[in-house]
Amino acid sequence: MSDKLRSMEVFTAAATAGSFAAAAETLGISAVMVGKHVQALEQHLGARLIERSTRRQTLTEIGAAYLERCHDVLASVAAADHVAENLRAEPQGSLRISAPATYGEHKLTPVIAEYTARYPKVSIDLVLSNRVIDMAEEGVDVAIRSGPVTDTSLIALPLAPGRILAAASPAYLKKHGTPRHPSDLARHNCLVFAGASTTWRFRRGEDLVEVKARGTLVSNTGASLVMAAIAGMGVIVQADALMEPAIALGQLVRLLPKWELPSRAMHILRRPEARPSAKVRSFVDFARERLS
């Protein structure tokens, strides 16, 4: 189809310029090549488009009618190209984003609010799920994933790692004391995430301390554990995305800040387009600036 459009473009130039030579000069190709494009159209249509003599050329009746339609087709192609270029130049349209639930709710959503304030022509379709989705199959433009990226066909750019923090409420610490060393947690009521390891591993430089977490509450959601910790039930170990709002409000106090719990790699991904659209490119850049 691209060859045919090119032939239509050359035919239009030849008909408008009045000669193959003039069209060739306008298009930057040889007069022979102009003739080949016109002949290709004539063979395809089974009719002469231009009557040629040594002195002049004239359009046939079919040629004149075909030229009018060529103008329409080429104008439509130019308009389509213009729309595509505008979409590529200015962020606009719907952007489908996928992210892990907790990370999306607590870290990504504020970034999206900032982004849409800057780029109001972009609407966001946010899909929060802890499963690994097929971006192409589910029409996702941008995804954020935790852990290693195994799909090498995707463009993966690093974000700040997801940290795990230990915390408890001021009321709990006032009653039970503040742990000064990870080993102190063995004497505290630990709130445990169901299905996760009950061994909490703290590292400081070369020192590694493992604590067997035991307590009166096991839950399968991090949010319920945070609420229990805020209520003063015990010590919690959870993702920073879930903990930081409560810490910022003073509802929880971070414990053992000089010790690190295992972190998890975070990446922002897009599909491998040579020229990503403006909405994808701008959001990836914006999110990396905020989340790195």
Side-chain angles (χ1 to χ4, degrees):
M1 186 54 131
S2 60
D3 289 343
K4 187 175 181 182
L5 284 174
R6 178 58 174 166
S7 294
M8 293 171 71
E9 182 182 23
V10 172
F11 164 68
T12 301
T16 303
S19 72
F20 285 9
E25 185 174 348
T26 300
L27 297 170
I29 60 178
S30 68
V32 172
M33 184 58 68
V34 172
K36 287 183 177 180
H37 278 288
V38 173
Q39 288 169 13
L41 284 179
E42 290 177 335
Q43 289 173 5
H44 172 74
L45 297 169
R48 296 280 284 181
L49 298 174
I50 298 177
E51 293 290 357
R52 297 176 288 277
S53 69
T54 56
R55 293 186 178 181
R56 65 191 185 117
Q57 67 175 35
T58 56
L59 289 171
T60 64
E61 183 180 357
I62 293 176
Y66 192 70
L67 176 62
E68 185 178 344
R69 293 294 176 262
C70 284
H71 282 305
D72 293 340
V73 169
L74 294 173
S76 295
V77 170
D81 287 346
H82 183 66
V83 168
E85 285 303 318
N86 283 345
L87 287 171
R88 193 169 295 281
E90 181 183 5
Q92 57 185 291
S94 178
L95 184 67
R96 188 169 171 84
I97 303 170
S98 169
T102 298
Y103 190 94
E105 289 168 356
H106 295 278
K107 286 208 167 186
L108 184 60
T109 301
V111 173
I112 289 174
E114 281 189 74
Y115 175 83
T116 53
R118 179 177 294 187
Y119 301 107
K121 291 185 178 180
V122 179
S123 60
I124 305 295
D125 179 3
L126 180 60
V127 180
L128 299 182
S129 174
N130 293 327
R131 66 187 177 87
V132 176
I133 66 170
D134 184 314
M135 292 181 65
E137 184 176 314
E138 300 198 26
V140 169
D141 300 297
V142 177
I144 291 179
R145 289 184 187 166
S146 62
V149 178
T150 56
D151 189 343
T152 57
S153 70
L154 299 172
I155 306 297
L157 301 168
L159 301 175
R163 297 181 302 154
I164 304 296
L165 307 179
S169 72
Y172 176 88
L173 296 174
K174 183 177 181 180
K175 184 176 181 179
H176 298 280
T178 300
R180 303 299 177 187
H181 189 274
S183 60
D184 295 342
L185 294 175
R187 299 188 295 274
H188 284 266
N189 192 49
C190 298
L191 311 179
V192 179
F193 189 81
S197 172
T198 55
T199 299
W200 294 351
R201 294 177 174 83
F202 292 83
R203 184 179 294 277
R204 184 176 64 181
E206 297 300 317
D207 295 333
L208 174 65
V209 178
E210 296 186 345
V211 178
K212 190 68 174 178
R214 295 184 178 87
T216 57
L217 177 65
V218 176
S219 175
N220 67 339
T221 72
S224 64
L225 293 174
V226 170
M227 293 306 297
I230 291 172
M233 281 193 69
V235 176
I236 183 176
V237 163
Q238 274 293 311
D240 58 351
L242 196 57
M243 303 268 273
E244 284 174 344
I247 292 173
L249 291 171
Q251 297 171 313
L252 293 176
V253 177
R254 184 181 175 187
L255 304 177
L256 306 166
K258 294 182 180 180
W259 292 81
E260 294 291 332
L261 285 148
S263 62
R264 194 162 177 81
M266 301 295 300
H267 293 87
I268 187 165
L269 298 91
R270 66 172 178 83
R271 284 177 277 173
E273 300 170 299
R275 296 178 64 197
S277 65
K279 63 184 178 182
V280 169
R281 185 177 64 253
S282 62
F283 183 80
V284 169
D285 291 345
F286 190 89
R288 290 194 71 203
E289 181 181 329
R290 297 298 190 276
L291 299 173
S292 293

